[in-house]
């Protein structure tokens, strides 16, 4: 009888523990509830017209216009994210691997933090190293909170800060032409990048 009671108690404890872990994991990086239908992006907006100054992972000051004349593959992340953001980064790396080596110099990969309070250049450099990003092609940017909100609005990325200091956010990869216009958005995680690659090939072969 004692053995049966012990086994029942152990099962209840295990189920409670699993439920707690699931709820805890779900607290990070959920999409905002309003993100079921993402509105179409405005292709007339030119990112190069945004005058805000950004700081790179190596502490250089840049503007988005500095990336002109190249196709841009961009996403917004934050480095303390444990679920969606590493997946977004992996999705960009998947795109990078599919681009012919002789065309890679025509493409810039941008990661823009939505957490400037914590994502300083040192933290961005650490993130780049952890994910083995080639900084010849990748640039990680941080800026002021107001500039982050501005670029999120332009890129149509919805951000909601949570009680624990993390963020619920849209998961979007942006394909941007050499003039700074958004030409395509890959929405969601672990998506087939067929259309993204088709847009990139069009941009770098023209």
């Amino acid at each position: 009888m004692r053995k049966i009671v012990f086994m029942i108690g152990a099962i209840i404890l295990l189920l409670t523990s699993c439920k707690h872990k699931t709820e805890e994991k779900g607290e990070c990086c959920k999409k905002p509830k309003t993100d079921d239908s993402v509105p179409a992006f405005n292709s007339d907006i030119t990112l190069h017209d945004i005058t805000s100054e950004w700081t790179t992972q190596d502490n250089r000051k840049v503007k988005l216009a500095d990336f002109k004349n190249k196709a841009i593959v961009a996403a917004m992340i934050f480095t303390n994210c444990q679920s969606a953001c590493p997946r977004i980064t992996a999705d960009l790396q998947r795109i990078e691997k599919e681009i012919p080596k002789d065309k890679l110099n025509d493409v810039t990969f941008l990661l823009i933090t939505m957490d400037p309070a914590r994502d300083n250049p040192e933290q961005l450099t650490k993130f780049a190293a952890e994910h083995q990003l080639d900084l010849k092609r990748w640039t990680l940017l941080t800026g002021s909170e107001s500039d982050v909100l501005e670029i999120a609005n332009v890129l149509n990325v919805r951000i909601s800060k949570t009680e624990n200091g993390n963020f619920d956010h849209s998961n979007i990869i942006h394909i941007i032409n050499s003039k700074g216009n958004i030409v395509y958005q890959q929405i969601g995680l672990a998506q087939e990048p067929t259309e993204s690659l088709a847009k990139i090939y069009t941009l770098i072969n023209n």
Side-chain angles (χ1 to χ4, degrees):
M1 183 67 179
R2 288 182 179 177
K3 190 177 289 186
I4 294 172
V5 172
F6 175 78
M7 289 177 65
I8 292 172
I11 291 170
I12 292 172
L13 181 62
L14 178 62
L15 291 174
T16 303
S17 175
C18 289
K19 181 180 179 184
H20 174 71
K21 287 180 181 179
T22 301
E23 289 175 349
E24 186 176 48
K25 184 177 180 181
E27 289 178 359
C28 176
C29 308
K30 295 182 295 184
K31 291 183 182 178
K33 293 181 179 179
T34 55
D35 200 38
D36 294 331
S37 177
V38 178
F41 59 86
N42 187 343
S43 60
D44 294 328
I45 294 176
T46 303
L47 269 67
H48 296 169
D49 290 336
I50 297 175
T51 59
S52 52
E53 190 173 66
W54 299 82
T55 304
T56 68
Q57 77 283 344
D58 52 358
N59 211 27
R60 291 182 295 112
K61 300 298 182 182
V62 298
K63 293 186 177 181
L64 295 176
D66 294 336
F67 301 99
K68 63 184 178 181
N69 300 325
K70 287 193 176 186
I72 297 173
V73 184
M76 294 194 73
I77 62 155
F78 66 103
T79 64
N80 282 281
C81 175
Q82 299 299 313
S83 55
C85 299
R87 180 67 258 180
I88 291 174
T89 304
D91 287 345
L92 267 74
Q93 289 176 303
R94 182 181 178 185
I95 291 171
E96 180 184 25
K97 288 178 182 178
E98 294 294 329
I99 299 172
K101 289 184 178 180
D102 63 331
K103 293 291 186 179
L104 275 173
N105 288 335
D106 297 326
V107 183
T108 292
F109 293 84
L110 287 184
L111 290 178
I112 305 169
T113 183
M114 60 185 73
D115 187 14
R118 293 183 292 185
D119 284 342
N120 56 30
E122 182 180 3
Q123 181 64 20
L124 294 178
T125 299
K126 181 181 177 182
F127 182 88
E130 288 174 349
H131 293 271
Q132 299 181 333
L133 305 181
D134 187 343
L135 296 180
K136 294 178 183 177
R137 291 187 291 273
W138 290 72
T139 303
L140 290 75
L141 298 177
T142 187
S144 70
E145 187 171 344
S146 61
D147 290 339
V148 167
L149 292 175
E150 179 186 21
I151 194 65
N153 184 57
V154 170
L155 294 175
N156 195 30
V157 174
R158 294 171 179 170
I159 299 172
S160 176
K161 195 166 186 177
T162 62
E163 292 181 359
N164 62 6
N166 290 328
F167 298 85
D168 293 338
H169 55 85
S170 309
N171 300 312
I172 307 177
I173 292 173
H174 318 271
I175 311 301
I176 301 164
N177 66 20
S178 60
K179 297 179 180 179
N181 304 105
I182 301 169
V183 297
Y184 182 71
Q185 290 186 322
Q186 179 178 306
I187 299 171
L189 300 174
Q191 300 296 310
E192 283 295 327
T194 306
E195 292 187 54
S196 293
L197 287 166
K199 292 292 184 182
I200 293 169
Y201 293 154
T202 299
L203 295 177
I204 61 181
N205 288 321
N206 283 343

